Amino acid sequence: HQACIPGPFQGDFAGSSWNATALFASKAHRQRPKMRKTIQVASKHDFLVIQEAHCLEGRADALQLPAEVIAFWSDCTAKAAGIGILLKRDFLSRFNAVVKSRDWIEIIPGYVAILKLHGPEGNLDIFCCYYPTGDSTSPAHRQDVSQIIGQHIAAQEEVPTILCGDFNFV
């Protein structure tokens, strides 16, 4: 077990964010190209944040990730939202082991989640956000989502926050 350094993460990283628009589509001919792109983008970055995956429980199993990549998902419906984070294992090795029940927090399932990383190089929070659209029947109003996120952002002198997502603003 590695020691935790209190304070912000001091290391370098490369991250990306992508609105996959139905990554887990039920029709295979629509899903395959998106799966290829997901793996291609994930292979070039330490982490990839995905929005609008349309993932249901068990659907993420359809994404056969390379051995060097691990994923965390927050499911929603087959037609809306769904978010996730794919991370390279070598990037995660710079932190203490992630305990999903403690470190992957689904703030608004399918819409907002945070991965809390702690380790010898410091602490880092990665948010994945998919703001509801104007006509959405999401669990929270758009204005409320920002307030809810704000309640979960730590002081920057303690933990840098990476906030990625589709905010559905023009």
Side-chain angles (χ1 to χ4, degrees), residues 45-136:
H45 298 88
D46 293 313
F47 62 87
L48 169 62
V49 178
I50 295 177
Q51 310 84 44
E52 205 174 354
H54 295 191
C55 49
L56 296 168
E57 187 174 347
R59 267 204 190 168
D61 297 336
L63 182 56
Q64 296 181 356
L65 297 171
E68 70 270 9
V69 176
I70 186 171
F72 296 90
W73 299 101
S74 180
D75 300 328
C76 200
T77 73
K79 294 183 180 187
I83 54 176
I85 299 177
L86 282 67
L87 303 109
K88 284 189 178 171
R89 291 181 192 273
D90 63 342
F91 176 68
L92 280 179
S93 72
R94 298 166 71 180
F95 301 93
N96 295 335
V98 172
V99 176
K100 187 176 179 181
S101 62
R102 177 192 68 208
D103 302 322
W104 174 242
I105 302 164
E106 296 179 77
I107 298 167
I108 303 173
Y111 289 88
V112 179
I114 179 174
L115 181 63
K116 296 181 156 293
L117 302 172
H118 309 278
E121 294 182 56
N123 307 311
L124 179 66
D125 288 350
I126 305 172
F127 276 80
C128 182
C129 307
Y130 178 72
Y131 271 54
T133 58
D135 60 349
S136 176

Side-chain angles (χ1 to χ4, degrees), residues 107-108 111-112 129-136 138-153 163 166-169:
I107 298 167
I108 303 173
Y111 289 88
V112 179
C129 307
Y130 178 72
Y131 271 54
T133 58
D135 60 349
S136 176
S138 70
H141 296 293
R142 294 172 52 80
Q143 297 84 358
D144 296 339
V145 174
S146 292
Q147 290 178 340
I148 292 166
I149 290 170
Q151 294 168 1
H152 289 85
I153 294 178
L163 186 64
D166 180 345
F167 301 94
N168 281 313
F169 286 113

